[in-house]
Amino acid sequence: MNAAPRIALTADDDEFFRAGLRTILAKHLGFPEVIETSSFDEALELLAARNDVALALFDLQMPGMDSPGSLRTVREFFPETRVVMISASTSREDVLMALDAGAHGYIAKGLSMTKMACALGTILEGNIYIPPSTSEIPSDPAARFVLQDRAERKDGDISLLTPRQRQVLELLVRGKSNKEIARMLNLSDGTVKVHMAALFKNLGVNSRAAAAAIGGRHLQPEEGATGT
């Protein structure tokens, strides 16, 4: 992976923070290209459209980052990409949940540019980066971790879905195939498969029929009738 030109992706709804990451990735880590996006759905679509993304950075509380299944989908479909969670939170619960979901590292936004570059360099070398202070922070049983809180909702809760996953579900309820969904949403077949997998994880199902059954019960009639 290091022999080919390395491409990085940053997914964060704060454009100023993305600008800082771009500087670190380009000037300190030598990435010739840095792709930027502001939502999880867009990040998935960009990853699916390319096969040369070596590093993907996700903000913990960005739009669409609704459950550990979000990161697990990325790890499943893009195994060669190093995935990193970046957050303003230094909560031990946040760090452990992100790592359990498959992140190769967890970096606090409060780090200096030099320290953040070192942390990312460690991850790119094939290591897992954990904030040094993590072991010193006592677990807080009262803490409510964002992903854990959402993940505790019951299977079949469509409120877990991102906007794109909801569109895919609406078309699935209408009986559309992946190819038809791809054409109607102007996506590639591969991108639809990624969104479908994320949809299954968030709904807690493992088949199109089960997902369609949930969608049929919970989507409003007018929602199921649109999908374009």
Side-chain angles (χ1 to χ4, degrees):
M1 183 170 64
N2 292 332
R6 300 187 303 171
I7 307 301
L9 179 146
T10 62
D12 194 305
D13 56 346
D14 182 340
E15 62 178 310
F16 295 105
F17 187 71
R18 290 202 312 269
L21 284 177
R22 183 170 63 247
T23 298
I24 293 173
L25 293 166
K27 294 186 177 181
H28 292 260
L29 296 173
F31 279 91
E33 181 179 355
V34 179
I35 308 169
E36 298 180 34
T37 182
S38 60
S39 78
F40 182 72
D41 279 337
E42 292 174 357
L44 276 186
E45 290 168 15
L46 286 168
L47 285 169
R50 308 193 56 151
N51 59 6
D52 54 358
V53 177
L55 179 68
L57 312 178
F58 293 90
D59 177 27
L60 175 64
Q61 298 189 38
M62 67 181 296
M65 188 62 69
D66 289 325
S67 79
S70 299
L71 276 186
R72 291 190 181 108
T73 299
V74 176
R75 293 288 290 112
E76 177 182 344
F77 277 85
F78 312 104
E80 299 302 317
T81 300
R82 305 296 287 177
V83 177
V84 182
M85 185 70 82
I86 295 186
S87 174
S89 169
T90 57
S91 163
R92 184 169 182 268
E93 283 72 24
D94 290 3
V95 176
L96 297 179
M97 180 64 79
L99 295 175
D100 183 62
H104 293 102
Y106 185 103
I107 299 177
K109 286 188 173 182
L111 287 184
S112 67
M113 185 174 291
T114 299
K115 289 183 177 180
M116 191 171 290
C118 288
L120 290 171
T122 296
I123 293 169
L124 287 169
E125 289 171 357
N127 302 303
I128 302 296
Y129 178 82
I130 302 174
S133 60
T134 300
S135 60
E136 302 171 4
I137 303 173
S139 179
D140 180 2
R144 297 303 297 169
F145 174 52
V146 175
L147 297 188
Q148 184 176 14
D149 182 39
R150 294 174 181 174
E152 286 173 352
R153 299 173 189 172
K154 295 180 180 179
D155 287 347
D157 184 355
I158 65 171
S159 68
L160 288 172
L161 305 183
T162 66
R164 182 66 85 186
Q165 290 166 19
R166 197 179 183 93
Q167 285 182 313
V168 170
L169 179 60
E170 290 169 2
L171 293 173
L172 182 60
V173 169
R174 293 171 55 188
K176 303 300 182 182
S177 67
N178 279 11
K179 288 187 179 297
E180 290 172 320
I181 293 172
R183 184 174 64 253
M184 296 176 75
L185 297 181
N186 195 29
L187 300 172
S188 70
D189 290 350
T191 301
V192 170
K193 288 179 181 178
V194 174
H195 283 306
M196 195 73 73
L199 168 70
F200 286 2
K201 282 185 170 62
N202 280 334
L203 291 180
V205 300
N206 56 18
S207 72
R208 296 171 66 91
I214 290 172
R217 288 197 303 269
H218 296 287
L219 290 175
Q220 295 298 320
E222 59 270 20
E223 288 181 300
T226 57
T228 56

